[in-house]
Amino acid sequence: MSPQASPLQTRILSQLQTRFSGAQVVGQRLNEVDIAEWLGVSRTPVREVLRALERQGTLVYEPRRGYEIVQPLDPETGSGADGDELLDERVMREMALGTLKSVISERALLKRFAVPRGFLNSTLRRLMRDQLVEPSPGRGWVFADIGPDALRDGYRFRQIVEPAAILCDDYAVDRKTLDALDRDHAAAIESINAMEQRALFELDARFHRVIAAGAGSRQLDDVIRRQNNIRRVADYISFVRPERIRQSLIEHRGIIAALLDNRRQHAAMLMRLHLEVSADETFAHLNHDLERIRARGSLSSPADSAG
């Protein structure tokens, strides 16, 4: 929570951390109304706490489904050898660098990342839910092949399906949801240099989930989530480029405005252009970012294969 949080918001956060701690809560959903009734408070401070947790990456908001816990609400969860850097980020960086290949034993992963077993298991469960890793019975874990080819294929796929989703029959996104999304984009543009990269990525991913949800297809929702997770791996190794991020958020607002005006053809065209520009920007910097990460020498040597 920010230093400006009210005493009531601080108390609400403390209650949530007590009730929703530990790896077993990952995947559970939180409802603003239910929490307000449980704590005997109004919905407004609860809403502010949930939004703050979303900004820090502990929760993810999905239209029509509410908030999902993606990290336990323990204050210390995720801290490890790299200070404030979450274990998720460290694992994803190494996936993008291609150092987590083949089958890797849990013992080798514990040695590599030097974190408690509980932290590692929580991260592996989240990655497994996101289809980025899967267990190999009796041998360890198999990590998805996330590289330039996968990213390129993902962008190509999204350029086909996301504009088409906007044009499908009975497409509809709740106006209040779009208005709230637009306000959050406006606030992010205003404070772009002060926001953490994780918060910016979550806002970007939320935008694409909201737009896709308008098609009313759970299968499409799952595909967009999967593509967001693949992009997340690349984004975790990227260095923040504020001007491009600001421009991307402005492009998002243009799409939102077109949808609010019920100009779906225009919104679909803007989405296609946005994805084309985003792909060009990603690949213009990807190799350079990878080289800078390697040059820093902050990553350990590749993990041992299962043994």
Side-chain angles (χ1 to χ4, degrees):
M1 296 292 292
S2 70
Q4 292 76 33
S6 69
L8 178 57
Q9 290 173 349
T10 301
R11 181 169 67 84
I12 292 171
L13 176 62
S14 177
Q15 295 274 14
L16 292 176
Q17 288 173 334
T18 299
R19 180 164 178 174
F20 298 101
S21 62
Q24 71 277 3
V25 303
V26 172
Q28 291 187 26
R29 295 193 174 277
L30 301 183
N31 180 279
E32 175 185 306
V33 175
D34 292 344
I35 293 173
E37 291 179 355
W38 166 50
L39 296 176
V41 299
S42 68
R43 293 170 58 181
T44 300
V46 172
R47 184 180 306 124
E48 292 303 315
V49 171
L50 294 177
R51 286 178 176 174
L53 290 171
E54 181 190 13
R55 287 193 295 272
Q56 74 181 41
T58 303
L59 306 179
V60 170
Y61 178 76
E62 297 184 48
R64 305 176 188 173
R65 302 182 71 187
Y67 290 92
E68 179 183 346
I69 301 175
V70 294
Q71 294 187 57
L73 273 63
D74 322 341
E76 293 81 16
T77 294
S79 61
D82 290 344
D84 292 335
E85 185 181 36
L86 297 176
L87 178 59
D88 294 41
E89 298 176 18
R90 297 172 59 203
V91 172
M92 287 182 177
R93 280 195 176 99
E94 297 216 21
M95 288 178 68
L97 287 170
T99 56
L100 295 178
K101 292 183 177 180
S102 185
V103 180
I104 304 177
S105 69
E106 182 175 303
R107 182 178 62 183
L109 290 170
L110 287 169
K111 180 179 179 181
R112 181 184 190 88
F113 294 107
V115 294
R117 187 181 301 273
F119 283 3
L120 177 64
N121 288 338
S122 294
T123 287
L124 291 173
R125 275 194 289 270
R126 283 190 289 276
L127 294 177
M128 185 167 61
R129 181 202 62 197
D130 295 337
Q131 301 177 346
L132 294 174
V133 66
E134 61 182 29
S136 177
R139 299 190 63 196
W141 296 86
V142 180
F143 291 82
D145 180 13
I146 305 298
D149 288 343
L151 283 174
R152 188 172 287 105
D153 188 61
Y155 270 114
R156 188 179 300 115
F157 177 78
R158 293 174 63 209
Q159 287 166 14
I160 296 170
V161 300
E162 291 194 47
I166 295 173
L167 298 176
C168 74
D169 294 340
D170 300 324
Y171 181 89
V173 179
D174 179 70
R175 190 175 188 89
K176 290 183 178 179
T177 299
L178 287 175
D179 284 335
L181 188 61
D182 187 60
R183 287 194 300 271
D184 289 345
H185 274 66
I189 292 169
E190 186 69 23
S191 58
I192 194 78
N193 293 312
M195 291 187 67
E196 294 182 359
Q197 185 175 359
R198 290 177 66 245
L200 289 168
F201 177 84
E202 292 300 340
L203 179 60
D204 177 88
R206 176 180 151 211
F207 165 80
H208 287 282
R209 288 197 306 269
V210 167
I211 301 305
S217 167
R218 183 174 293 275
Q219 187 172 5
L220 179 59
D221 288 345
D222 291 341
V223 167
I224 296 301
R225 178 187 290 274
R226 163 73 171 166
Q227 291 300 320
N228 280 337
N229 290 328
I230 291 175
R231 285 195 307 119
R232 186 194 302 263
V233 176
D235 283 7
Y236 274 144
I237 68 160
S238 299
F239 290 83
V240 176
R241 290 178 283 275
E243 287 310 313
R244 172 54 202 160
I245 294 173
R246 179 183 285 109
Q247 183 58 39
S248 180
L249 295 177
I250 291 172
E251 292 166 12
H252 286 184
R253 294 194 73 193
I255 296 168
I256 293 170
L259 289 173
L260 287 170
D261 290 341
N262 200 30
R263 294 182 296 144
R264 289 199 287 146
Q265 288 280 357
H266 186 58
M269 180 196 69
L270 292 177
M271 177 65 83
R272 180 178 57 80
L273 291 174
H274 166 66
L275 291 171
E276 288 177 357
V277 172
S278 296
D280 290 343
E281 178 73 11
T282 294
F283 292 108
H285 294 275
L286 186 60
N287 289 336
H288 181 252
D289 288 342
L290 287 170
E291 289 304 318
R292 290 187 65 178
I293 287 290
R294 291 190 183 99
R296 286 167 60 190
S298 59
L299 299 178
S300 55
S301 58
D304 300 329
S305 59

